[in-house]
Amino acid sequence: MYLSTILSLALALSPLAVSARGTLGFSLGVRRPDKQCKTVADYEADFDALKDNAGSTIVRTYMIKDTNVPEYPCDVPAAILPAVKAKNFKVILGLSADTQEAYDAEKAALLSDLTPEYAPFVYALTIGSESLYRNVTAEELLPRIKDAKTEFGKLVPRIGTVDSWNKFADGAADAILTSGVPTFLMVNAFGYWQGKDITDATATYLDDLQQAIGHIQSIVGVDTIEIWNGETGWPGDGGSPYGSAKAGTVNEKTFFKTGVCAALAWGVDVFYFEAFDESWKPKSTGDTGAQGDETHWGAFTESRVPKFALTC
């Protein structure tokens, strides 16, 4: 199953993509352990750790105005854009878009932060993060993607959305795919959140990617839209189990070395979730409704120490 899954994934990718190794990026939190917003210096230290230990020079974020801790609202671009410029990194900026009101507020904030000075360091914009997974329809999300393309397309040519693999595979995103609007998509896939034992997690992860990428390319063609794996990962020591999926740094290392490295070897660009542990975060809810710990998902500790060698 493992070999056939990898071969299926390879067939779903363009010949050009398979000819080169994929790029490894990291999902990046925007808060310090004390819940306050990261500063430019904090981001610069993050980037040094990622480059020195993983050779990575690209990160992604999720919101323009992060209000997950109401007493400490974060203007993410205001701090991260000077840092990516200083360290010659790239960032994919996410805009919350589950509602029109949320999108309008995110757009207004980004319009004031994103200037031509910083545009070369913004690799892409993603409109919505698993919005379809949370029952926003493609027909509702599409106008927001289209509007972002109109507002920011001259500065940032890659604009699209990111969602769970099954929302691409089952046709829920087809109205977006057939519109000709997005130029960039990210597919999230986790063996862990499907409750798979570590021995089955890599095969599940690669098969899910294959199903999503294959469906996308069956509609838009091979070279029309740039596709990344937007999230994958495994919780380390201190994390909670989810079905047969058991947290632990040994399993996290195993998944990285077998799953992430396999996808990279076949030319898939992968964002690992996530860069650093985040002790401030609340619990998250998976497909079955059970809650899981999300404070120990980092490839690094909060003090920026890698948990294992981040090499393939």
Side-chain angles (χ1 to χ4, degrees):
M1 180 178 178
Y2 177 77
L3 178 59
S4 63
T5 300
I6 292 179
L7 292 175
S8 297
L9 179 59
L11 291 173
L13 300 171
S14 70
L16 178 62
V18 177
S19 68
R21 178 179 174 79
T23 296
L24 175 64
F26 286 86
S27 298
L28 186 63
V30 301
R31 296 184 182 277
R32 303 188 312 217
D34 62 4
K35 298 185 180 182
Q36 296 199 45
C37 306
K38 287 182 178 177
T39 65
V40 175
D42 291 325
Y43 284 119
E44 289 181 349
D46 287 350
F47 297 159
D48 286 341
L50 294 174
K51 186 174 183 179
D52 291 347
N53 292 281
S56 181
T57 57
I58 186 168
V59 296
R60 63 164 297 203
T61 62
Y62 294 81
M63 302 172 70
I64 301 302
K65 291 288 190 181
D66 188 307
T67 57
N68 284 314
V69 181
E71 61 268 35
Y72 301 124
C74 300
D75 183 343
V76 176
I80 202 170
L81 290 179
V84 293
K85 180 183 178 183
K87 294 296 182 176
N88 197 28
F89 260 59
K90 300 287 187 180
V91 61
I92 295 177
L93 295 173
L95 284 75
S96 179
D98 285 0
T99 67
Q100 187 65 44
E101 181 182 15
Y103 168 71
D104 289 342
E106 294 274 89
K107 180 182 75 171
L110 186 58
L111 282 169
S112 65
D113 286 332
L114 182 57
T115 64
E117 175 187 4
Y118 296 124
F121 303 95
V122 179
Y123 190 83
L125 300 178
T126 53
I127 313 307
S129 178
E130 296 191 340
S131 294
L132 304 184
Y133 180 77
R134 288 191 293 274
N135 296 318
V136 177
T137 68
E139 289 76 13
E140 291 171 320
L141 186 60
L142 177 59
R144 298 162 199 164
I145 301 172
K146 185 180 296 185
D147 181 73
K149 191 174 182 180
T150 298
E151 292 285 357
F152 302 107
K154 290 184 179 180
L155 288 176
V156 183
R158 298 177 186 87
I159 295 177
T161 192
V162 51
D163 225 295
S164 178
W165 70 273
N166 55 307
K167 292 304 174 182
F168 290 109
D170 68 8
D174 282 3
I176 294 171
L177 301 180
T178 58
S179 69
V181 173
T183 55
F184 184 80
L185 295 171
M186 294 204 292
V187 176
N188 296 347
F190 290 85
Y192 172 87
W193 283 121
Q194 293 204 54
K196 297 297 182 180
D197 183 84
I198 190 63
T199 58
D200 297 323
T202 286
T204 297
Y205 160 63
L206 294 174
D207 186 65
D208 290 350
L209 280 181
Q210 184 272 325
Q211 290 185 58
I213 294 172
H215 183 79
I216 293 168
Q217 294 185 340
S218 73
I219 291 178
V220 304
V222 171
D223 297 319
T224 306
I225 296 177
E226 184 175 339
I227 305 169
W228 285 56
N229 175 197
E231 282 184 351
T232 196
W234 199 275
D237 291 347
S240 55
Y242 190 76
S244 296
K246 307 303 181 187
T249 302
V250 171
N251 284 349
E252 182 179 10
K253 177 181 177 181
T254 297
F255 181 75
F256 184 92
K257 297 292 186 179
T258 59
V260 174
C261 289
L264 291 170
W266 282 106
V268 182
D269 300 313
V270 177
F271 274 103
Y272 190 80
F273 182 88
E274 58 183 332
F276 308 99
D277 284 347
E278 295 189 271
S279 61
W280 69 269
K281 294 178 75 173
K283 293 185 181 298
S284 60
T285 303
D287 290 344
T288 67
Q291 288 192 322
D293 177 271
E294 274 207 357
T295 65
H296 296 90
W297 281 75
F300 296 73
T301 67
E302 284 187 315
S303 56
R304 303 188 181 93
V305 176
K307 297 179 180 178
F308 50 87
L310 296 166
T311 56
C312 295

